[in-house]
Amino acid sequence: MDIDARGPRFGAAVTTVVLAVVLITGSAWLLAWQTLAFALGAAGGVARSPYGWLFRKAVRPRIGPPTEFEAPEPPRFAQAVGFGFAAVGLIGYGVGPEWLGLAATGAALAAAFLNAAFGYCLGCEMYLLVRRLTVRAE
């Protein structure tokens, strides 16, 4: 079943704020929260992530029904990619080197910002590229 296309973009906006605060404060705890949010989004889909729940309960009722839908697989893949970067960032902040935490968190922040500000989902584009390559290989 397709999802409201505004949901992942809302999640990306919240993620952008969270990751920016992580870079400013160096908070490994906040990055751990974001890593968990990515994990839940990758495991259950963006609708089951904390930000998807917040969108569904607090935002969508105020902005009306969706007019644009998208397949859930690309955003779910993007959540898995975000999880990977956040997990590497957590390792960098937790055990070092700190530059690894900064770089991985910065990369995740850049991707989230692109989605939030411009509607360009890097993880979704990666998903489509992988699908094209695997279909050609079969």
Side-chain angles (χ1 to χ4, degrees), residues 21 29 31 36 44 50 63 66 70 72 83 97 99 111 117 119 126 130 134:
V21 172
W29 289 108
L31 185 56
L36 175 63
I63 62 174
E70 68 179 307
F83 170 77
W99 64 262
M126 286 175 54
V130 168
T134 57

Side-chain angles (χ1 to χ4, degrees), residues 34-44 79 83:
Q34 184 57 53
T35 305
L36 175 63
F38 278 139
L40 293 171
Q79 292 288 297
F83 170 77

Side-chain angles (χ1 to χ4, degrees), residues 111-132:
F113 176 77
L114 281 175
N115 193 356
F118 304 109
Y120 187 79
C121 176
L122 285 174
C124 300
E125 295 299 323
M126 286 175 54
Y127 173 84
L128 296 173
L129 179 63
V130 168
R131 292 280 299 166
R132 279 188 224 119

Side-chain angles (χ1 to χ4, degrees), residues 66-78:
T67 57
E68 188 178 336
F69 296 89
E70 68 179 307
E73 295 84 9
R76 188 174 183 173
F77 181 83

Side-chain angles (χ1 to χ4, degrees), residues 3-13 46 55 70 75 79 115-116 121 124:
I3 59 173
D4 185 341
R6 301 170 297 180
R9 196 163 178 186
F10 170 80
V46 293
F55 174 78
E70 68 179 307
Q79 292 288 297
N115 193 356
C121 176
C124 300

